[in-house]
Amino acid sequence: VAGNTNDRLQALKDILAEVTDLSRAAALLEWDQETYMPPGGVQSRSEQISTILRLSHVRFTSDEVGRLLDQLEDDVAKLPFDSDEASLVRVTRRDYDEATKLPPDLISEIARAGSMAQPVWQKARREANFSLFAPYLEKNVELNRRIADAIGYDERPYDALINRSEPGMTTAQLEEIFAELKRVIVPLAADIARHADVVDDRVLYRGFDPDLQLAYALGLVKRLGYDLERGRQDISTHPFSTAFGPGDVRITTRVSREFFNECLFGSIHESGHAMYNQGMGQNIDRTPLWGGASPGVHESQSRFWENLVGRSLPFWRHFYPSLTATFPEPLRGVDEEAFYRAVNRSYPSLIRVEADEVTYNMHVLLRFELENEMLEGTLKVKDLPEAWNTRFKSYLGLNVPNDREGVLQDIHWSYVSFGIFPGYTIGNLISAQLMEKIRTEIPDLEGQIEKGQFATLLGWLRKNVHRHGRKFTPNELLERATGRPLTAGPWIAYVQQKFGALYGLQAVKR
Amino acid sequence: VAGNTNDRLQALKDILAEVTDLSRAAALLEWDQETYMPPGGVQSRSEQISTILRLSHVRFTSDEVGRLLDQLEDDVAKLPFDSDEASLVRVTRRDYDEATKLPPDLISEIARAGSMAQPVWQKARREANFSLFAPYLEKNVELNRRIADAIGYDERPYDALINRSEPGMTTAQLEEIFAELKRVIVPLAADIARHADVVDDRVLYRGFDPDLQLAYALGLVKRLGYDLERGRQDISTHPFSTAFGPGDVRITTRVSREFFNECLFGSIHESGHAMYNQGMGQNIDRTPLWGGASPGVHESQSRFWENLVGRSLPFWRHFYPSLTATFPEPLRGVDEEAFYRAVNRSYPSLIRVEADEVTYNMHVLLRFELENEMLEGTLKVKDLPEAWNTRFKSYLGLNVPNDREGVLQDIHWSYVSFGIFPGYTIGNLISAQLMEKIRTEIPDLEGQIEKGQFATLLGWLRKNVHRHGRKFTPNELLERATGRPLTAGPWIAYVQQKFGALYGLQAVKR
């Protein structure tokens, strides 16, 4: 590649801008598929998405990108680690290696295995019959091993897989964190279960007008700082957030008359994701640096607003008066503290996606352990349901009545995707670790939240997290923002304190 | 290119499928831009659309396509003209030549001229000051000439331009048709103007609830045959129809409380476009054969349903009872025949897009004449406003008060696009020519419409027009469907009969 550093950087950026445009277009095609597309559009839409993603992949994995990266790594060697240029080359190299390390045959085989396994998983789940699905899961385990081998790893095969979504994380780091969580959560959840009658959440099921819920939720997330000039809210079966550029970051939600939490906390959650994307720097737009640092970091932003802000007492001290004005009937006779308690009710349950703040991470821990053991061959696929049920009983105290509500509940294992689950817990931990730091830097945080003022808080997140996009790995980002890599301590302290108080638990009150 | 005919056909089809997917994706990006995109999305969206259209153009104009076409033209030489294979090669060749004949420098210059001229045209129009815009129009005329030269023509430079949108049409054919129209419409419009008080349309301005209008219009177009499993209706400032594949063909509409026609007739018009796309054969999907035969033929389908069906008396005999049930207040005291007369009121007006059935083609004729004269140099740009105003007076009897409502009203001349306007009139003529034939093949048509039965009619259009997509040129399509190429006779007979009766004109009653 001829020319000077700037020419080469520009050549790389031109390709990356094209790749970004294509993937953003694909994201809009997917958004439309989930929101407005008529039923007849399925076939053409899948053709369009597959063509666009293929072109994007071909362009990104071209030899030209490889050659530019080889030269640019020398060019930027003396630039600061966090400069836009050095970061662009470093992160693009990481993506390029990941995209080119898997041989095309393996990529096709993975796609094929996924599309064959998914309908079988659906049937097996419907019939609560794990044995139907077992041969497909065996194939998926084998393919996950081959992915790990193709990518390479020093210690544990899971290292290769976790690194694909949470760069820089190791199996050992996660094992240590999960062990610490287990020591605390298992007894805490059991303690809460013994005091279950302290919290009454029946108010949430009294019936709330759906249109009013949608309007209230949208008004509320706007107050948090979700910019509707650069976003919008639509309805979809499964809520999500998606971004087509700095000026167009959307959320979807769903609404149930019968259960209040779905729409409001769902909207806060998705707007947490969306505010992350809305805060990414214009300087990194149309490059691989524009995006979430990892699924875990993305989840930290949604959980931060949903749980640490949206399920806090000062938050409801501010919003409850307008909520009761909107829904006078169902909220009659319930004060803000009772409502705060209701939205924080904790109890062991079978289904991960319905789990509360305290027990959620145990669902993830279970899957992390089982994925690792299957990958390393210490657990046979045929023994998976028994392992699931035994550990579920030991961690959450519940008997799993059938595989539909047990080992078959998540779609994830029907495609080749080990290493995804830990991101959910990483997100929870990061949110608490950031909050611990924020409390030292914004001492008046609770007072501000109680006044409905979120600008200082959002400003801190923008400065320390959002604007960097993918420049830093999760651990690097946390080091810079809080002085430490990922650690479970702040989250443990948070749930002990919050739920200890909520349920009046003596043991953990210190 | 090695292999046999089938291999080469498949190789061509693979490329064309990719090109189709990209252009359909771009169409969705544009649909979203007009319907749901937040204001902040403009910048990223234009990047995405421009990247996708560029990739699509590059892929389609590649040497590989040229080589495949060269060989395939021999391969399919003995196949029937209307076979899928021969048609694919023939139409792809036409598109390929058009896309490759313009040198890249000229293409860039055209794009640049358009983006420079548009803001100036907007300002000139706002200030009703043609002289601001004149130098840009001079440049555009010059570029239109260079396009004509690059494409080539036998007789008249306009032949090259009209062929880009209406393949097979010649300037001479259009001149003959427009001369015939002028002979009849100028006196007819004047005659109608003298009897203006015969038709009263004040009922249309009595105020109609917008939500009810939208629901009624959607229900009505569904009854016509617009399939909502493969389509949907949304709101946009400028109504349009767009297609992302056989199973996803959408319409947009707008609604005004103050003026009834906008939503209902707009929805019928757009659903006419949409039913055309919904009727195209699966056998030609993802190829250049899938699409409208020309803008004129597309317009024939929208006008067919809007005017020949939707503004007919049998149509309102069927729908008026449900319309009065939906809008009892504004329709009080108005019977179906009075309502039929109201929606057909005709009067000379200044603005093309607001013109009625009778006068509309005169607006087009004027533009066709002026474009031709500018292109051939017999009319100087500086003399355009005077020519416009003089002819407007002579054709429609109105004094043009200023250039905003005169020569500056349309956006078309602000970009390089001579040859577009005739399509609107071609559409009107085709709709009447098809209807004349349909009446001989479905003698009971009026009775069916009065019963709200549209399936036989839609079936005829599907069989004779829709399923062919772009296989045939407009004249070829008409030859096959009606036994004649495009002709003005049926449309002239239609308006003379309909408006003669409506306005009680003796002269044209025979």
Side-chain angles (χ1 to χ4, degrees):
Chain A
V1 189
N4 58 26
T5 302
N6 280 339
D7 294 340
R8 284 187 286 273
L9 257 179
Q10 196 52 53
L12 182 65
K13 281 182 177 176
D14 287 347
I15 298 173
L16 297 175
E18 194 173 297
V19 169
T20 306
D21 290 342
L22 287 170
S23 66
R24 286 173 177 178
L28 180 77
L29 294 167
E30 285 160 356
W31 170 86
D32 179 74
Q33 185 162 24
E34 301 301 322
T35 51
Y36 295 112
M37 192 183 80
V42 173
Q43 170 70 23
S44 295
R45 183 55 47 86
S46 75
E47 290 161 359
Q48 292 148 14
I49 292 174
S50 127
T51 289
I52 287 186
L53 292 181
R54 185 168 43 73
L55 291 177
S56 164
H57 180 80
V58 167
R59 191 81 179 105
F60 182 62
T61 57
S62 65
D63 294 343
E64 194 183 350
V65 172
R67 279 193 303 270
L68 284 165
L69 284 172
D70 288 343
Q71 292 210 18
L72 281 163
E73 279 172 339
D74 294 336
D75 292 343
V76 303
K78 288 189 181 142
L79 293 177
F81 181 84
D82 61 356
S83 67
D84 288 353
E85 294 76 14
S87 302
L88 178 69
V89 172
R90 182 176 68 247
V91 171
T92 305
R93 162 62 73 190
R94 194 177 79 208
D95 291 349
Y96 182 80
D97 286 350
E98 193 195 308
T100 52
K101 268 187 179 170
L102 298 189
D105 284 357
L106 181 55
I107 294 177
S108 319
E109 208 176 338
I110 291 166
R112 216 163 35 240
S115 50
M116 283 173 67
Q118 271 198 39
V120 179
W121 166 76
Q122 278 169 345
K123 185 173 195 293
R125 184 195 193 202
R126 203 167 46 238
E127 301 175 4
N129 180 352
F130 179 78
S131 64
L132 285 180
F133 178 57
Y136 295 85
L137 182 54
E138 270 165 24
K139 177 72 182 171
N140 285 354
V141 172
E142 181 216 317
L143 286 169
N144 274 303
R145 261 188 225 120
R146 284 169 58 193
I147 294 172
D149 290 341
I151 292 175
Y153 52 88
D154 289 334
E155 301 278 326
R156 312 272 296 273
Y158 203 82
D159 286 343
L161 302 183
I162 184 75
N163 248 291
R164 295 175 84 199
S165 51
E166 303 291 332
M169 293 277 168
T170 64
T171 314
Q173 185 186 8
L174 288 175
E175 280 178 339
E176 195 182 313
I177 283 169
F178 277 120
E180 200 178 341
L181 289 177
K182 186 153 58 171
R183 271 196 305 276
V184 177
I185 306 304
V186 172
L188 177 64
D191 209 2
I192 290 172
R194 277 190 298 274
H195 296 75
D197 55 352
V198 172
V199 172
D200 176 357
D201 69 351
R202 281 174 300 179
V203 60
L204 305 173
Y205 300 88
R206 282 189 191 163
F208 293 79
D209 177 80
D211 289 338
L212 288 179
Q213 283 192 67
L214 285 168
Y216 189 86
L218 190 60
L220 188 148
V221 298
K222 201 176 155 185
R223 290 284 306 282
L224 300 181
Y226 175 45
D227 179 0
L228 288 171
E229 290 290 303
R230 300 189 288 139
R232 52 176 290 117
Q233 183 188 50
D234 298 276
I235 306 286
S236 70
T237 313
H238 301 286
F240 62 97
S241 167
T242 182
F244 318 128
D248 193 351
V249 185
R250 307 186 188 181
I251 64 173
T252 73
T253 189
R254 61 182 166 193
V255 60
S256 155
R257 178 183 294 278
E258 279 67 41
F259 183 39
F260 175 82
N261 286 8
E262 198 149 278
C263 176
L264 188 80
F265 288 102
S267 297
I268 299 176
H269 180 99
E270 299 308 333
S271 74
H273 283 301
M275 286 187 278
Y276 185 11
N277 281 88
Q278 288 189 335
M280 288 167 194
Q282 284 281 356
N283 53 314
I284 54 174
D285 186 28
R286 282 182 108 199
T287 76
L289 295 180
W290 200 92
S294 76
V297 175
H298 231 308
E299 197 70 6
S300 80
Q301 297 308 293
S302 55
R303 301 285 173 130
F304 187 95
W305 291 98
E306 178 192 357
N307 289 335
L308 282 79
V309 176
R311 282 192 166 89
S312 75
L313 189 53
F315 181 89
W316 286 109
R317 287 210 199 284
H318 178 75
F319 282 106
Y320 200 65
S322 66
L323 192 74
T324 49
T326 310
F327 302 102
E329 271 315 309
L331 297 180
R332 192 178 301 279
V334 175
D335 68 15
E336 64 202 26
E337 199 156 327
F339 190 78
Y340 159 74
R341 297 167 73 81
V343 299
N344 281 292
R345 187 179 158 223
S346 169
Y347 55 98
S349 60
L350 293 166
I351 306 296
R352 175 182 60 85
V353 296
E354 296 166 5
D356 64 84
E357 252 184 299
V358 177
T359 58
Y360 190 94
N361 293 330
M362 298 309 295
H363 292 262
V364 175
L365 156 64
L366 172 70
R367 288 154 177 80
F368 168 74
E369 290 180 351
L370 297 173
E371 284 189 349
N372 244 306
E373 292 167 29
M374 286 191 281
L375 197 67
E376 298 185 352
T378 54
L379 175 66
K380 301 280 171 245
V381 165
K382 71 171 170 50
D383 301 325
L384 178 64
E386 199 195 317
W388 178 287
N389 296 349
T390 309
R391 273 183 244 196
F392 207 92
K393 175 77 176 177
S394 126
Y395 297 162
L396 286 165
L398 293 183
N399 293 311
V400 177
N402 56 57
D403 290 342
R404 184 173 56 245
E405 294 168 274
V407 69
L408 289 173
Q409 68 181 264
D410 293 308
I411 195 173
H412 302 56
W413 286 343
S414 76
Y415 48 92
V416 180
S417 64
F418 282 6
I420 299 288
F421 282 119
Y424 300 117
T425 284
I426 290 170
N428 288 330
L429 304 190
I430 292 177
S431 66
Q433 190 168 335
L434 293 172
M435 185 55 111
E436 187 186 72
K437 180 69 178 177
I438 290 169
R439 288 191 187 283
T440 69
E441 301 203 352
I442 313 178
D444 181 36
L445 183 69
E446 297 215 343
Q448 292 184 14
I449 292 177
E450 201 165 321
K451 286 190 226 114
Q453 295 165 353
F454 302 97
T456 314
L457 175 56
L458 181 56
W460 191 97
L461 292 170
R462 288 225 190 293
K463 176 166 173 282
N464 291 282
V465 180
H466 300 178
R467 69 186 170 106
H468 300 309
R470 300 179 69 223
K471 245 185 204 184
F472 308 117
T473 66
N475 280 324
E476 287 166 359
L477 192 71
L478 283 168
E479 285 268 5
R480 290 179 164 251
T482 72
R484 287 185 298 179
L486 183 69
T487 169
W491 184 82
I492 288 173
Y494 158 72
V495 292
Q496 283 182 324
Q497 196 276 325
K498 175 173 174 180
F499 289 86
L502 265 164
Y503 281 87
L505 310 179
Q506 296 305 321
V508 294
K509 274 193 183 166
R510 278 165 300 194
Chain B
V1 188
N4 58 26
T5 302
N6 280 340
D7 293 340
R8 284 187 286 271
L9 258 179
Q10 196 52 54
L12 181 65
K13 282 182 178 176
D14 287 346
I15 297 173
L16 297 175
E18 194 174 295
V19 170
T20 306
D21 290 342
L22 288 170
S23 65
R24 287 173 176 177
L28 180 78
L29 295 166
E30 284 160 357
W31 171 86
D32 179 73
Q33 184 162 22
E34 301 301 322
T35 51
Y36 295 113
M37 192 184 80
V42 173
Q43 171 69 24
S44 296
R45 183 55 48 86
S46 75
E47 290 161 0
Q48 292 149 14
I49 292 174
S50 128
T51 289
I52 286 186
L53 292 181
R54 186 169 43 74
L55 291 177
S56 163
H57 180 80
V58 167
R59 192 81 177 106
F60 182 61
T61 56
S62 65
D63 295 342
E64 193 182 351
V65 172
R67 278 193 302 271
L68 284 164
L69 284 173
D70 287 343
Q71 292 210 18
L72 280 164
E73 280 171 337
D74 294 335
D75 293 341
V76 303
K78 290 193 178 137
L79 292 178
F81 181 83
D82 61 356
S83 68
D84 288 354
E85 294 75 13
S87 302
L88 179 70
V89 172
R90 182 176 69 248
V91 171
T92 306
R93 162 62 74 189
R94 195 177 78 208
D95 292 349
Y96 182 78
D97 286 350
E98 193 197 307
T100 52
K101 267 188 181 171
L102 298 189
D105 283 358
L106 181 56
I107 294 176
S108 320
E109 208 175 335
I110 291 166
R112 215 161 38 237
S115 50
M116 283 172 68
Q118 270 197 41
V120 179
W121 165 75
Q122 278 170 346
K123 185 172 193 295
R125 182 195 194 204
R126 204 167 46 237
E127 300 175 5
N129 180 354
F130 179 77
S131 63
L132 285 178
F133 177 57
Y136 294 87
L137 182 54
E138 269 164 25
K139 178 71 182 170
N140 285 355
V141 172
E142 181 216 317
L143 287 169
N144 273 303
R145 261 188 225 121
R146 285 170 56 193
I147 294 173
D149 290 341
I151 292 175
Y153 53 89
D154 289 332
E155 301 278 328
R156 312 272 296 274
Y158 203 82
D159 286 344
L161 303 182
I162 183 75
N163 247 291
R164 294 174 85 198
S165 51
E166 302 293 330
M169 293 276 168
T170 64
T171 314
Q173 185 186 8
L174 289 175
E175 280 178 339
E176 195 182 315
I177 284 169
F178 276 120
E180 200 179 341
L181 290 176
K182 187 152 57 168
R183 270 196 307 277
V184 176
I185 307 303
V186 171
L188 177 63
D191 209 3
I192 290 173
R194 278 189 298 274
H195 296 76
D197 55 352
V198 172
V199 172
D200 175 357
D201 69 350
R202 281 174 300 179
V203 60
L204 305 173
Y205 300 88
R206 283 190 191 160
F208 293 79
D209 178 81
D211 288 339
L212 289 180
Q213 282 192 66
L214 285 168
Y216 189 85
L218 190 60
L220 188 149
V221 299
K222 200 176 155 186
R223 290 283 306 283
L224 300 182
Y226 176 44
D227 179 0
L228 288 170
E229 290 291 303
R230 301 187 289 138
R232 53 176 289 117
Q233 182 188 50
D234 298 275
I235 305 286
S236 70
T237 313
H238 301 287
F240 62 97
S241 167
T242 183
F244 317 129
D248 193 352
V249 185
R250 307 187 187 181
I251 64 172
T252 72
T253 190
R254 61 182 166 193
V255 61
S256 155
R257 179 182 292 276
E258 280 67 40
F259 182 41
F260 175 81
N261 285 9
E262 198 149 279
C263 176
L264 187 80
F265 288 102
S267 297
I268 299 176
H269 181 98
E270 299 309 333
S271 73
H273 283 301
M275 286 187 279
Y276 185 10
N277 282 89
Q278 288 189 334
M280 288 166 194
Q282 284 281 356
N283 53 313
I284 53 173
D285 186 30
R286 282 181 109 199
T287 76
L289 296 180
W290 200 92
S294 76
V297 175
H298 231 308
E299 196 70 6
S300 80
Q301 297 307 293
S302 55
R303 300 285 174 132
F304 187 96
W305 291 99
E306 179 193 355
N307 290 333
L308 282 80
V309 176
R311 282 191 167 88
S312 74
L313 188 54
F315 181 88
W316 286 110
R317 286 208 199 285
H318 178 75
F319 282 107
Y320 200 65
S322 66
L323 192 74
T324 49
T326 310
F327 302 102
E329 271 315 311
L331 297 179
R332 192 177 301 279
V334 175
D335 67 15
E336 66 201 23
E337 201 158 325
F339 190 79
Y340 159 72
R341 298 168 72 80
V343 300
N344 280 293
R345 188 180 158 223
S346 168
Y347 55 99
S349 60
L350 293 165
I351 305 297
R352 174 181 60 86
V353 296
E354 296 167 4
D356 62 83
E357 251 184 302
V358 176
T359 57
Y360 190 94
N361 293 329
M362 298 310 295
H363 292 262
V364 175
L365 157 63
L366 172 71
R367 288 155 176 80
F368 168 72
E369 289 181 351
L370 298 172
E371 284 189 349
N372 244 304
E373 293 167 27
M374 286 191 281
L375 196 66
E376 299 185 352
T378 54
L379 174 66
K380 301 280 172 248
V381 164
K382 71 172 170 51
D383 300 327
L384 178 64
E386 199 196 316
W388 178 287
N389 296 350
T390 308
R391 272 181 246 198
F392 207 91
K393 176 75 176 178
S394 127
Y395 298 162
L396 286 164
L398 293 183
N399 293 311
V400 176
N402 56 59
D403 291 342
R404 184 172 57 246
E405 292 167 276
V407 68
L408 289 173
Q409 68 181 264
D410 293 309
I411 196 173
H412 302 56
W413 286 344
S414 77
Y415 47 92
V416 180
S417 65
F418 282 7
I420 300 288
F421 283 119
Y424 299 117
T425 284
I426 291 170
N428 288 330
L429 304 189
I430 292 176
S431 67
Q433 189 169 337
L434 292 172
M435 185 55 111
E436 187 186 70
K437 179 71 177 178
I438 289 167
R439 287 190 188 284
T440 70
E441 301 202 351
I442 313 177
D444 182 36
L445 182 67
E446 298 215 343
Q448 292 184 16
I449 292 177
E450 200 165 321
K451 285 188 228 121
Q453 295 166 355
F454 302 96
T456 314
L457 175 57
L458 181 58
W460 192 96
L461 292 170
R462 286 224 191 295
K463 174 163 173 283
N464 291 281
V465 180
H466 300 179
R467 70 187 167 104
H468 300 309
R470 300 179 70 221
K471 244 185 204 185
F472 308 117
T473 66
N475 280 324
E476 287 165 1
L477 192 71
L478 283 169
E479 286 267 5
R480 290 178 165 252
T482 73
R484 286 185 298 178
L486 182 69
T487 170
W491 185 81
I492 289 174
Y494 158 71
V495 291
Q496 284 183 325
Q497 197 276 326
K498 175 173 175 181
F499 289 88
L502 265 164
Y503 280 88
L505 310 178
Q506 295 306 320
V508 296
K509 274 194 177 162
R510 281 162 303 190

